Amino acid sequence: MCSLFGYLDYQGIVPHKILKKLTQSLAVAAEERGTDATGISYIKDGKVVIFKRAKAAHKLHLNPPEGTTAVMGHTRLATQGDKKQNYNNHPFAGHADTEFAFAHNGVLWNDKELRKDGVIPNTYIDTDSYIGVQLIEKQGKLDFDSLKYMAETVEGNFTFTVLDQYNSLYIVKGSNPMYLLHFEAIGLYVYASTESIMKKALKQMGLHKFESKRIETEEGDILRIDRNGKTTRSKFEPKVYCSKYGSWYDYEASPFYNMHEEILLAYCGCYGVDSADVELLLDYGYTCDEIEEMLMDTNLLREALRDVKYMCGENIYESRYGGAI
């Protein structure tokens, strides 16, 4: 689990001081999903600038310069690729028919397979996410078609953001969360991976007092917001995966389900949580987003497991999941 965050100011009426503080507030709030590295990208004099370090956001001063109208940010929970090698951290630089920066929340499984098959070349960058950059570059352009190709070629759990050198922001919504708000009165879009991150950052800034509208995105959406605030959309076809855990998900009660659940089961050990507990919560009906919050809030997790244990019966819980909490 990582976090994406950022904004696009298309009217230029929000003071630079506020936008700079918004960058820092979003980044620090996003620490709840990753503290191994922090990075931002913005456009200066028509060029993509990337600043990233293997540090938690609160240890950095994120200072996009005067005139910055869009910031694309990322906080990282490292999985593949040593965080100490800064080139493994997000955002990543790319070049097609335009320069761009690229960030990813999730885990991709088929990067080694694509390299082995010659679809994309080998690289010194070890992070699985970087295959997204290479797949876009392979198409020689950054547009809806190349993003669709990329999203349908990768396998795994994802939401991507891309910022091009003209201050257009793209959001490619996979199974991972995304929360996007439009403050129309002040000409500002703000996004973060989760509502909790958004609320924390906006409250610190006082922006929660301004009227905003949520822009909905669902799995399979590709959303583009240009520098003038105009939004356009396209689609890609999400993949369906067979779970090794044999649990239910959707699609007319088939044994296939979304990789978001797989990633929770694979990652929960990083938080000291047994995968059996996560599987219990999934079986009981908790959503992936709800369980992600529990992984970062021990009291909330224990309370939920106690409730499930009570409803299912202690003997059932202990026989399936290894004893009382």
Side-chain angles (χ1 to χ4, degrees), residues 29-313:
E31 281 190 358
E32 67 180 46
R33 293 176 63 88
T35 57
D36 288 332
T38 306
I40 61 170
S41 179
Y42 54 87
I43 309 305
K44 181 179 180 181
D45 299 327
K47 300 292 185 180
V48 174
V49 178
I50 293 174
F51 173 84
K52 54 186 178 181
R53 294 288 185 272
K55 294 182 179 181
H58 74 273
K59 295 182 179 180
L60 294 171
H61 292 287
L62 302 175
N63 189 20
E66 186 86 36
T68 298
T69 60
V71 164
M72 188 185 81
H74 184 275
T75 57
R76 185 181 183 208
L77 173 64
T79 53
Q80 181 178 316
D82 184 0
K83 67 178 183 180
K84 295 179 181 178
Q85 303 298 328
N86 202 38
Y87 52 73
N88 286 323
N89 297 322
H90 305 235
F92 300 101
H95 184 83
D97 58 342
T98 178
E99 293 182 18
F100 63 91
F102 179 97
H104 166 221
N105 171 23
V107 171
L108 305 178
W109 304 112
N110 62 333
D111 54 316
K112 292 180 175 60
E113 178 183 341
L114 290 174
R115 299 191 197 288
K116 182 179 178 180
D117 293 345
V119 177
I120 54 175
N122 290 324
T123 174
Y124 64 91
I125 298 174
D126 298 322
T127 311
D128 52 302
S129 310
Y130 190 65
I131 63 172
V133 175
Q134 293 181 287
L135 289 168
I136 295 170
E137 291 179 331
K138 182 179 180 180
Q139 297 299 294
K141 57 185 178 178
L142 174 62
D143 59 11
F144 285 139
D145 288 339
S146 63
L147 291 172
K148 172 181 166 67
Y149 166 78
M150 182 271 296
E152 292 180 349
T153 301
V154 300
E155 295 178 1
N157 169 271
F158 63 81
T159 288
F160 303 110
T161 54
V162 182
L163 179 66
D164 74 17
Q165 69 184 86
Y166 305 108
N167 278 306
S168 289
L169 173 70
Y170 295 84
I171 296 172
V172 183
K173 176 67 171 69
S175 58
N176 274 25
M178 170 56 62
Y179 197 84
L180 172 64
L181 292 179
H182 183 201
F183 295 84
E184 186 173 3
I186 57 175
L188 182 68
Y189 288 91
V190 183
Y191 71 90
S193 283
T194 66
E195 183 179 8
S196 64
I197 293 171
M198 180 72 77
K199 285 184 174 179
K200 189 182 299 183
L202 295 183
K203 187 174 182 181
Q204 184 177 356
M205 295 293 302
L207 286 173
H208 66 294
K209 300 176 182 178
F210 288 80
E211 183 178 353
S212 64
K213 177 182 178 181
R214 182 173 182 184
I215 307 299
E216 296 291 343
T217 55
E218 61 181 23
E219 187 174 4
D221 282 347
I222 306 175
L223 175 67
R224 178 178 185 262
I225 310 173
D226 71 16
R227 62 184 179 184
N228 299 312
K230 180 182 178 182
T231 62
T232 49
R233 290 178 181 259
S234 187
K235 300 286 290 186
F236 70 91
E237 187 64 36
K239 292 184 179 180
V240 179
Y241 300 87
C242 181
S243 171
K244 66 183 179 182
Y245 294 95
S247 181
W248 64 271
Y249 186 68
D250 54 5
Y251 298 104
E252 299 179 353
S254 80
F256 296 89
Y257 79 135
N258 196 289
M259 281 295 287
H260 199 171
E261 296 186 357
E262 293 279 11
I263 204 65
L264 285 174
L265 291 161
Y267 272 25
C268 60
C270 296
Y271 293 87
V273 178
D274 193 287
S275 62
D277 289 338
V278 173
E279 190 173 359
L280 172 64
L281 295 171
L282 288 169
D283 289 344
Y284 193 73
Y286 281 98
T287 68
C288 291
D289 287 347
E290 289 171 333
I291 296 172
E292 283 188 3
E293 287 191 37
M294 294 176 196
L295 292 179
M296 293 172 281
D297 187 335
T298 303
N299 291 332
L300 187 63
L301 174 68
R302 293 175 68 87
E303 182 179 346
L305 287 171
R306 285 195 188 99
D307 289 345
V308 173
K309 175 183 173 182
Y310 177 80
M311 295 299 294
C312 293

Side-chain angles (χ1 to χ4, degrees), residues 18-32:
I18 299 298
L19 293 176
K20 187 170 70 171
K21 289 182 178 179
L22 177 60
T23 303
Q24 191 74 28
S25 295
L26 285 167
V28 173
E31 281 190 358
E32 67 180 46

